[in-house]
Amino acid sequence: MTGEGTPRWYGRRHGRKLRDGRQALLQDLLPRVRLVPPRGGGFLDMKALFPPPIAEVWLEIGFGGGEHLAAQARAHPDVGLIGCEPYVNGVASLLAHMERGGFTNIRVFDDDARLLLDSLADASIGRAFLLFSDPWPKKRHHKRRFISRQSLDTLARLLKDGAELRFASDHMGYVRWTLELATRHPCFRWLAGAKRDWLQRPADGFETRYEAKATAAGAVCVHLAFERLKRGAAA
Ligand SMILES: C[S@@+](CC[C@H](N)C(=O)[O-])C[C@H]1O[C@@H](n2cnc3c(N)ncnc32)[C@H](O)[C@@H]1O
């Protein structure tokens, strides 16, 4: 994100040794669907990224094992989906979903999303998802959280007028943090009208692997949706 320099990555990149099939997907399928920011700057040509017809492009930051991204790709064949995830095992899992489902409307940035966002044009994204983003619970680690004033500025630049930013978490500290930053931001409006709006996953949403684990452990999951306000109308 502009002005930040090369961001430092604190998460993990590798997990258990990959099965041969997954390793093969990383070698064969990933190069065909990988997003590479243009050398020397400039924006990616969104229209050229996906086979037509594509109505709009959605973005998921930190897709984990890719279950949600794959479900969205299946439900919305006319939407191009960009997924960002530096965890290699997660990327391999998404590739397995893509191969099984035959999806052609997913492109993968297999690195820290912050290294991609400057390559996406203003108002080029129709919806953004940040689902069960790492909460970094210790106070001294809060600055590692993905949501910050700066990342919201970037998302406000990328999202089209009226587009939704969807955030979910089972960590109430991170929920409060996000609510405070997003409701104070001049470009966003929280869409909740009643308690059920934030205690229930949106009707057109899909459960993520992390959410399933959190729910099974008895945690409460909060789902926040923010509207990117019309340009020019914001304070
Ligand atoms: C707690 S996991 C949740 C994964 C998935 N969204 C789910 O709900 O099952 C958070 C994920 O976000 C990824 N992540 C964290 N920071 C990121 C960043 N800056 N760019 C892209 N992915 C990121 C991590 O690698 C991790 O896989």
Side-chain angles (χ1 to χ4, degrees), residues 30-31 91 104 108 128 136 154 180 192:
L30 181 57
V91 171
T104 57
V108 182
W136 294 108
T154 302
E180 198 176 319

Side-chain angles (χ1 to χ4, degrees), residues 9 60-64 84-87 111-114 131-134 146 208-211:
W9 171 250
E60 181 167 358
I61 296 172
F63 59 72
C84 306
E85 178 56 68
Y87 181 50
D111 208 335
D112 184 333
R114 294 170 295 176
L131 305 175
F132 300 89
S133 172
D134 297 310
F146 189 87
T208 73
R209 190 190 292 184
Y210 191 95
E211 180 181 0

